[in-house]
Amino acid sequence: MKTTFPSFYDFVEKSSDRKLQQLGKDFNEFSQGFTRVNQFGTYKIKNKNFLLGTSPSWSDIHNNLDAPRAITDILFSEIEEEMSGDKLKVLALLGSAGCGKSTILKRLGLRLVQNGRTVYHSYSEYIPDYNSIYHTIESLKQKVVLVFDNADLILFQLPSLIDKLSACQYPPIILISTRTNVFDTITSKLDPIINLTEHRVPNLQREEIIEIIKRLDDNNLLGHLKGLSYENRIKEFELRAKKQILVAMREATKGESFNSIIKSEYDEVTPLEAKFLMSCVALTTEAGFTISKQDFISISEVSPAETLFYLERNLSDIIIKAGSKEDRLLLRHRTIADFIIENCLDVDTLKKVYLRILSTLAPEINIYDWKSRKFALYREIINHYKIYNRFKENINNARELYESLIPYFNMDYQFWLQYGSLEMEGKGGSLELAENYLNQSLSLRPKSIYVKNALGNLYFRKSILMVNESDAYGYRTHANMIMDDLLADKFNEDVYTYCIYLTGNYNYVTKKISDRDIIKKELEHLRIVVAEGLSRHPVNRRLITLKDTIFNAYLRTAVEGNTTYPALKMEF
């Protein structure tokens, strides 16, 4: 807070007024999640790691190590046009990991500040309460720009945040950045009245490639390109222009494939404990988080002195320091972290990495403090879908991991929710185990919408699998009791409640009922429900698909003798 609002800090500290004290708390909360972009760089040392594939720091931007991108000009112009508006504006910058989103956001933020705008930047590792964000923005009495890098971590707050900030006297401009493959999940929560514009990071253009080569040349980092002619240097990049900018730079300067480069770097790390520590940091970095130096030491199985030696020597330029005090650690780029997790670790090693991180953090994770960094990290890496896919879709490997974690998270509803959901994932799962684990989760958090959604989905699945007609009807009835309560809850904004209800009932009706008149009547009811769902979530693509599928099936009931209907998967 002293850094972000220095003039207001002393004023609040000396005031006894309750309202000002509360505003001071809101500012303090806001300051933990956002950094005000500084117009003036104070960085004396020019580090070249960015040009070797490290995630961008503000120092890199102030030292102009990044090459100009045309998309930055487009975003800058659009934001400047919106600064005079009186409505909240949302822009989305989409692209794959490693395509340069973070660099573009930082350069854009600096340009806006240099143009007289106030910009707050968040990497979303800590998520302030949306009420604190609202009160802070409202108190500033000016239109500001809020930049969320890696916005997938604020997914659950984004709809409420947008609704709240729309009521500000000076509604801000919100810029969110995320990978394209998670954008559908985010936009499904946004009301279409929100002024939303999508921008995708384009492939490298010739002019941009020339600027990148110039930066490399100016910093004596041409590598493999050094002996090539000017035109051949450009051709080397053009061959890779459709890849992420990180991949293109590494391949062009090294003269090898990106996969070979990273695999070789990983294999060359010694000793084994240093490689293991590198893998642990890769897991947290891929999840979008840093890890403290203290936790890094705790994860290690060698002495603190030896661990720090590995950090400074063996892992130098692989693990980098972040934060104002440089006390937080991450792998130099998220794309590299993802490659290591997916391609360099065997199943047993990956299991040990998970176990070592989570068992180390467990004593400090408050399972009810969802805003804390450590809980957010825990929630991200414990996700059943990620674990199932990471363990090569082998449910027994994933089970072994969850079983190993029970001593640490036995009383956490989130743990049992994920373990139960795993049993509904892929081949080899047990719906009986899933029911037991989800009921444990419900017992620990009786009001959780997410647990109830999972139970409703489970009982719908069981209703389809039952051979006995009475059993099938009973499970469907049980599922509908749960889902009806959730649909009636006016505070429930989770679109998956509608998706589960509609998909579960549709599959039951089209698979378990043969009477055409009953099917028609049931589908008529589902058409009403999907229309209600779309009135609350108008742009949700899954609901739109459900609407079309249900209508298609409804039309087929008019065909004499028809017994086939479009299929719907029950994956949530």
Side-chain angles (χ1 to χ4, degrees):
M1 184 174 166
K2 288 179 180 178
T3 303
T4 313
F5 306 102
S7 60
F8 194 77
Y9 181 85
D10 292 335
F11 180 62
V12 172
E13 280 290 285
K14 295 172 184 176
S15 172
S16 59
D17 184 276
R18 288 186 177 181
K19 185 175 180 180
L20 287 178
Q21 290 292 349
Q22 180 57 49
L23 188 56
K25 291 179 181 178
D26 289 330
F27 275 31
N28 186 47
E29 173 95 354
F30 181 88
S31 300
Q32 293 182 58
F34 289 88
T35 301
R36 184 170 181 172
V37 179
N38 184 2
Q39 177 179 354
F40 305 103
T42 57
Y43 310 99
K44 297 179 180 179
I45 300 175
K46 187 175 180 180
N47 193 312
K48 300 179 183 181
N49 286 338
F50 171 72
L51 295 173
L52 297 174
T54 298
S55 296
S57 67
W58 285 108
S59 173
D60 300 324
I61 304 302
H62 280 287
N63 284 316
N64 294 312
L65 291 181
D66 61 313
R69 300 292 301 272
I71 185 65
T72 310
D73 296 332
I74 294 171
L75 290 168
F76 178 82
S77 298
E78 185 170 350
I79 290 174
E80 283 296 322
E81 287 177 8
E82 293 291 336
M83 289 303 295
S84 58
D86 59 356
K87 302 291 184 183
L88 183 140
K89 173 70 177 179
V90 182
L91 296 93
L93 180 63
L94 309 176
S96 59
C99 69
K101 297 188 299 297
S102 294
T103 304
I104 292 167
L105 289 185
K106 282 187 164 69
R107 172 56 62 188
L108 175 64
L110 182 57
R111 280 187 59 182
L112 289 167
V113 168
Q114 290 171 339
N115 204 42
R117 308 304 181 185
T118 300
V119 180
Y120 292 97
H121 182 276
S122 172
Y123 191 72
S124 304
E125 190 173 305
Y126 176 81
I127 308 170
D129 180 79
Y130 66 85
N131 284 307
S132 295
I133 298 175
Y134 165 76
H135 289 137
T136 302
I137 298 301
E138 186 72 351
S139 68
L140 295 177
K141 304 298 181 185
Q142 62 172 307
K143 198 172 187 72
V144 303
V145 181
L146 297 180
V147 179
F148 292 92
D149 195 357
N150 292 319
D152 30 321
L153 294 182
I154 65 155
L155 173 63
F156 297 107
Q157 275 210 74
L158 193 57
S160 301
L161 176 64
I162 290 173
D163 287 343
K164 193 75 174 177
L165 294 182
S166 295
C168 285
Q169 181 182 358
Y170 300 97
I173 295 172
I174 297 176
L175 176 56
I176 62 175
S177 168
T178 185
R179 289 168 286 180
T180 306
N181 61 343
V182 300
F183 185 64
D184 286 348
T185 310
I186 295 177
T187 53
S188 71
K189 303 271 185 175
L190 300 180
D191 193 301
I193 64 170
I194 295 299
N195 194 6
L196 170 66
T197 305
E198 297 179 22
H199 293 274
R200 283 177 167 76
V201 179
N203 296 332
L204 290 170
Q205 303 300 310
R206 184 178 177 86
E207 294 77 13
E208 296 171 337
I209 290 172
I210 291 171
E211 289 294 335
I212 292 173
I213 293 173
K214 185 176 185 301
R215 297 295 190 280
L216 291 169
D217 194 12
D218 289 345
N219 289 277
N220 301 308
L221 290 173
L222 283 171
H224 172 71
L225 301 174
K226 184 74 171 179
L228 302 182
S229 67
Y230 179 78
E231 281 300 320
N232 284 336
R233 289 175 182 178
I234 296 173
K235 286 181 181 179
E236 277 291 303
F237 264 96
E238 287 179 333
L239 288 171
R240 301 167 172 85
K242 293 184 179 180
K243 300 183 179 182
Q244 304 102 315
I245 188 170
L246 168 66
V247 176
M249 285 177 61
R250 295 293 285 174
E251 289 187 350
T253 55
K254 281 274 193 175
E256 305 173 44
S257 73
F258 178 81
N259 292 359
S260 298
I261 295 167
I262 304 306
K263 184 68 167 62
S264 176
E265 287 183 355
Y266 177 81
D267 290 341
E268 289 171 4
V269 172
T270 56
L272 187 61
E273 181 62 18
K275 184 177 292 186
F276 198 86
L277 290 169
M278 174 185 176
S279 303
C280 289
V281 177
L283 183 61
T284 58
T285 301
E286 192 283 329
F289 290 82
T290 58
I291 187 171
S292 71
K293 190 178 291 187
Q294 182 177 351
D295 287 330
F296 181 78
I297 293 171
S298 299
I299 288 170
S300 176
E301 291 189 343
V302 298
S303 69
E306 195 171 354
T307 303
L308 291 175
F309 178 81
Y310 292 159
L311 179 64
E312 298 297 334
R313 296 295 297 272
N314 306 55
L315 301 173
S316 176
D317 299 331
I318 296 175
I319 295 176
I320 61 174
K321 298 170 185 176
S324 58
K325 299 178 181 178
E326 294 194 337
D327 58 347
R328 308 209 56 87
L329 307 174
L330 72 161
L331 220 65
R332 68 171 184 262
H333 202 285
R334 196 170 177 179
T335 302
I336 296 172
D338 180 67
F339 179 85
I340 289 171
I341 295 299
E342 298 294 340
N343 299 282
C344 297
L345 306 183
D346 59 54
V347 169
D348 288 336
T349 303
L350 182 58
K351 199 182 303 178
K352 291 174 183 175
V353 167
Y354 265 94
L355 185 58
R356 183 132 22 133
I357 290 175
L358 290 170
S359 62
T360 300
L361 300 183
E364 299 178 66
I365 293 176
N366 183 337
I367 60 177
Y368 298 106
D369 185 8
W370 61 270
K371 290 189 297 182
S372 75
R373 280 186 173 92
K374 290 185 178 179
F375 179 74
L377 169 62
Y378 158 69
R379 184 184 62 196
E380 186 70 16
I381 64 178
I382 203 71
N383 179 275
H384 76 279
Y385 183 76
K386 272 192 172 182
I387 288 177
Y388 177 69
N389 284 281
R390 283 215 170 119
F391 284 93
K392 314 304 180 188
E393 298 188 352
N394 184 320
I395 199 166
N396 286 324
N397 286 330
R399 276 179 183 148
E400 288 176 12
L401 174 63
Y402 279 104
E403 287 292 324
S404 300
L405 294 171
I406 289 176
Y408 305 100
F409 303 105
N410 188 37
M411 297 305 293
D412 174 28
Y413 90 97
Q414 181 74 223
F415 173 82
W416 291 109
L417 170 60
Q418 296 304 324
Y419 198 177
S421 298
L422 173 74
E423 293 295 342
M424 292 193 286
E425 191 75 54
K427 298 178 181 179
S430 166
L431 295 187
E432 297 305 318
L433 286 175
E435 183 175 9
N436 186 290
Y437 299 158
L438 291 177
N439 278 323
Q440 289 189 59
S441 182
L442 186 67
S443 177
L444 292 167
R445 188 63 68 89
K447 295 182 180 180
S448 171
I449 291 170
Y450 307 116
V451 179
K452 291 179 181 179
N453 273 339
L455 278 167
N457 186 28
L458 169 71
Y459 291 129
F460 277 129
R461 291 191 183 203
K462 295 189 81 167
S463 74
I464 304 301
L465 294 173
M466 290 297 107
V467 176
N468 183 282
E469 185 178 333
S470 177
D471 290 340
Y473 179 79
Y475 279 119
R476 185 208 182 189
T477 301
H478 194 14
N480 277 329
M481 286 176 59
I482 296 171
M483 304 312 291
D484 285 339
D485 286 343
L486 290 177
L487 290 175
D489 183 356
K490 62 181 181 180
F491 297 108
N492 178 12
E493 291 295 327
D494 192 346
V495 68
Y496 288 111
T497 299
Y498 281 99
C499 295
I500 292 167
Y501 178 89
L502 291 163
T503 304
N505 277 295
Y506 175 87
N507 280 322
Y508 182 89
V509 168
T510 57
K511 294 175 188 282
K512 309 296 284 189
I513 298 177
S514 56
D515 189 303
R516 190 170 53 159
D517 291 334
I518 296 176
I519 293 174
K520 183 178 180 180
K521 185 177 179 181
E522 292 269 8
L523 291 175
E524 286 174 348
H525 169 67
L526 294 183
R527 290 183 66 194
I528 294 171
V529 176
V530 77
E532 176 190 314
L534 282 168
S535 70
R536 298 180 67 179
H537 308 278
V539 295
N540 183 269
R541 297 182 186 183
R542 192 187 289 260
L543 280 181
I544 293 170
T545 300
L546 281 165
K547 177 189 175 184
D548 294 341
T549 304
I550 292 168
F551 181 64
N552 189 333
Y554 179 74
L555 292 178
R556 293 193 187 192
T557 60
V559 179
E560 188 72 32
N562 176 69
T563 58
T564 61
Y565 299 93
L568 278 178
K569 292 183 179 180
M570 300 186 69
E571 296 177 355
F572 301 98

